[in-house]
Structure formats: C-alpha cells, structure tokens
Amino acid sequence: MEGTLLLAAIVLAALVIRTAVEELREPGRGRARWAFLTDRRALTAGGVVLVALGTLGWLLAGGQGLVWACLAAVLAAYATNSQGRDT
C-alpha cells in the first residue's frame, strides 16, 4: 500500500509542479487550471469516475484500488474543466 500511495503522491505532485511552472510563465494561468474545483461539470465527471472506479477498485484491490480511483477522479475532473481552457 505504501508504494501505491507514494506513486499517487508523485503524480499529484507533478500536476502541482506543472501548475506552478505555468503560473510563473503566465500569471493567472495556474489558477485557471485548478478552477475545476468550482466547475460543476468537472466535479460531476470526477464524481462519476470515483463512484464507478472506486467500487470496482475496492472490490478487486481494496485500499489500493480506492487510491487509484481517487487519482483517476481528480484527473478526470482536471481534464473536463471548461473554465481553465484557452486562458
């Protein structure tokens, strides 16, 4: 389980670092990328992915599957963000 948490933390850290670099290059861009936290459509997509993969992951792999389901939900919400595009 520790390896799974470490790898998930590395992926999330990469997203945060990418956002920080974008923010340094163009102020305001990083905040726009994380606007999915307030975007209803993105949160709905993330919730659907979390429920679907979380259930399946819990049944097949227990806690490790749940960690990956949470990461997939965050990435799905991040990808469907309509507010952070073309800023």
Side-chain angles (χ1 to χ4, degrees):
M1 178 87 166
E2 294 85 20
T4 301
L5 289 174
L6 179 63
L7 193 54
I10 289 171
V11 171
L12 285 176
L15 277 176
V16 170
I17 290 169
R18 177 181 172 198
T19 303
V21 170
E22 286 179 347
E23 185 70 26
L24 287 173
R25 288 184 182 162
E26 186 179 334
R29 178 116 175 146
R31 286 185 296 271
R33 287 284 182 195
W34 286 92
F36 73 89
L37 295 173
T38 59
D39 185 8
R40 185 176 299 230
R41 186 178 129 209
L43 289 177
T44 302
V48 168
V49 169
L50 180 61
V51 169
L53 291 180
T55 303
L56 187 62
W58 183 260
L59 292 174
L60 295 177
Q64 292 178 355
L66 197 57
V67 169
W68 287 112
C70 289
L71 182 62
V74 169
L75 292 175
Y78 186 82
T80 57
N81 178 20
S82 62
Q83 296 176 4
R85 300 198 192 271
D86 298 330
T87 56

